[in-house]
Amino acid sequence: MEKIIFTGPMGAGKTTAIGAISEVPPISTEVRCSDEGKLRKETTTVAMDYGYFTLEDGSRIHLYGSPGQERFDFMWNILTKGGIGLVLLIDNARPDPLADLVLYLDAFKDFIEQTGAVIGITRLDVSNRVMLSDYTDKLLERGQIFPTFEVDVRISNDVKILIHALLAILQS
Amino acid sequence: MNIYKISVKAFEKMDALLFQSMLQLVQKQLVVPWQFEESANIVVIDAEQPEGKIFWENHPSAKITVLYAKQNIYNAQWFLQKPVRVQPLVQLLNEMATLQTSQELATRASPVSEAKPTKVVPVTNPRSEPKVVATAVIEKPTLIPTISDSSCFNPSYYLIGLLEQAIKTVQPKCLMSADQTPLYVLPQEQRCFTRPISKKLVLLPKSIYALPLEKIKSIDLSVESLRAEVENQALSGYTIDTILWLTALHASQGRLIDNQSKQALVRLKQWPNFAILPHQPAQMNLAAFMLKKTADLSEVAEKTQLPLATVIDFFNACKVLGLVIEATQTETIIAKKDLSEQKRNLLRTILARLRPSSES
């Protein structure tokens, strides 16, 4: 089963991103937020999001979104098994988006090393405390280079550009 | 560095003194030093004076003349509005210096026969006719190198030169070429405004991005009038980086950027922000390769199986955005992953399925 994994903190737009390229509306296991997230979203994904698109030969590429909250991190390893690569979405309007970046890169370190990752920064229009260059600087500081773009995951083209970059690094 | 010399003709005494003082005053804002001389090849002529009028109509062709008057009554190539003010003077001298440098480089590279400018295009904005303070408008260049007579790509000969100037002087501008949507530059916000640009890069040889400087009309605007034009025409906003990128890709035409050796080992330090930079699929692959290892451009072309001209255009655009690092030795930054042919086929099929559309 071929799959692409979407991850990132709660509210970064994983469900929306999957919906932007999936042939079916994303199937989500969402519940009402009961903790600090309630201030930002009414519901959040507790197990996973799921969508897919079909290739010319009829096979499907499955799209999985990990739950955003850290307390569900036991799901992350299960989800990534056999995955093609990682799409990491970071919500720039969260209190410390650079810390989020580091947390997720560390959490998915093994999977990224085996495959590859691309980073989409969302909501740069809402908050510009942290700029796109801050993310690339942070990555350079860690000795990492990943495609890092400012994206609006509601626009399917932006999500396609992320996937395209991911595939480009896997192929080169 | 060259020192440019300028003189005045038929100026009233007070005007001449004012001009000389102002020339001193604006030196720090000029891209090259300018010096006042009694007799120089560049002459500012007060054509509202009888003596100036006669000189204007009969001046030797070797002189480069600037019309000094309340209105551009002769549709002059170079015009400075009366009374002389700081910003228009700075703009005029900087534009002249840019073009003069181009002339010198062209003369050095290959002798070009001197030709007089042909018809001069009047500077008007068809919608609102913003005030022109000082504008260089030439339909045909005198000695400016054309694409065919220059083997290098000099960004300052194209739209990039005008954008850099707008940024340096913090002067909002309307940049226009025949039959095309104007490009409005708001350096205060590092943004440009124009009709929607497709995210899928389509190279148009006649677009403003491909044109040499002398084919582009530049009009100074106030921030307010620029905003009004943007609103009236419902134009879309873009970062200046997007326009620099587009210009480099359009104007390079397979010529390597000035002062760059084809043999130099290079790599990218970060990904171009393809979410805002119009691109073609090949450029995504080029970026991926050029981030992984240092190589000269011929090797990049060979390994990515792309034409060298495509690689050079992409390299120039990255260089203009400051994304290039030069190295002294070959280095692999990211190790290549071994992929089975089956996996490669799968990735190609996914790419074909998810090819970004040209929507903007």
Side-chain angles (χ1 to χ4, degrees), chain A residues 2 4 21 23 53-56 59 61 82-84 112-116 132 136-137 140 145-151 155-158 160-161 163-165 167-172, chain B residues 199-200 267-276 279-282 284-285 288-289 291-292 333-334 336-337 339 343-351 353-360:
Chain A
E2 305 294 353
I4 296 171
I21 55 168
E23 287 168 15
F53 58 86
T54 312
L55 301 180
E56 261 185 9
S59 60
I61 299 297
I84 292 172
I112 292 170
E113 273 174 14
Q114 290 157 22
T115 58
L132 194 64
T136 50
D137 288 349
L140 284 176
I145 301 172
F146 297 118
T148 307
F149 309 138
E150 172 188 352
V151 290
I155 300 169
S156 69
N157 234 26
D158 280 16
K160 286 178 182 176
I161 286 168
I163 305 284
H164 192 172
L167 301 183
I169 57 168
L170 294 174
Q171 282 183 309
S172 66
Chain B
K199 277 191 177 174
K200 184 180 174 187
R267 69 175 173 92
L268 297 188
K269 63 178 173 189
Q270 67 185 62
W271 275 77
N273 187 0
F274 285 124
I276 61 163
H279 60 278
Q280 292 170 342
M284 193 76 89
N285 297 337
F289 180 85
L291 275 150
K292 285 197 168 180
I333 311 300
I334 304 166
K336 190 181 165 106
K337 291 187 174 74
L339 281 186
K343 195 83 172 176
R344 283 188 185 279
N345 277 338
L346 172 72
L347 299 183
R348 276 194 284 269
T349 321
I350 298 173
L351 267 180
R353 170 69 177 77
L354 285 187
R355 185 81 70 208
S357 70
S358 59
E359 73 192 44
S360 52

Side-chain angles (χ1 to χ4, degrees), chain B residues 25-39:
Chain B
L25 192 73
V26 300
Q27 283 297 326
K28 280 187 180 168
Q29 296 179 60
L30 301 178
V31 291
V32 294
W34 283 77
Q35 188 178 303
F36 187 85
E37 272 208 357
E38 285 305 322
S39 176

Side-chain angles (χ1 to χ4, degrees), chain B residues 60 90 106 115 118 131 153 163 171 262 288 298 302 310 313 329 335:
Chain B
V90 168
T118 52
K131 189 177 168 191
F153 166 58
L163 291 173
Q171 172 62 57
K262 215 177 260 183
S298 302
E302 188 193 322
T310 305
D313 292 350
Q329 57 185 24

Side-chain angles (χ1 to χ4, degrees), chain A residues 6-56:
Chain A
F6 289 73
T7 193
M10 188 177 66
K14 300 180 290 294
T15 310
T16 310
I18 289 173
I21 55 168
S22 171
E23 287 168 15
V24 293
I27 299 158
S28 299
T29 45
E30 295 198 322
V31 295
R32 290 182 70 80
C33 285
S34 58
D35 53 15
E36 91 284 352
K38 194 169 184 180
L39 298 171
R40 306 222 329 96
K41 296 178 76 182
E42 273 298 303
T43 60
T44 191
T45 305
V46 290
M48 66 179 85
D49 290 310
Y50 173 74
Y52 68 84
F53 58 86
T54 312
L55 301 180
E56 261 185 9

Side-chain angles (χ1 to χ4, degrees), chain B residues 87-116:
Chain B
Q87 209 50 48
L89 182 64
V90 168
Q91 187 190 348
L92 174 75
L93 298 181
N94 283 343
E95 284 182 2
M96 291 190 90
T98 307
L99 292 177
Q100 276 291 107
T101 309
S102 311
Q103 287 178 13
E104 284 159 15
L105 289 172
T107 311
R108 256 180 261 156
S110 59
V112 185
S113 61
E114 187 173 341
K116 279 204 162 196

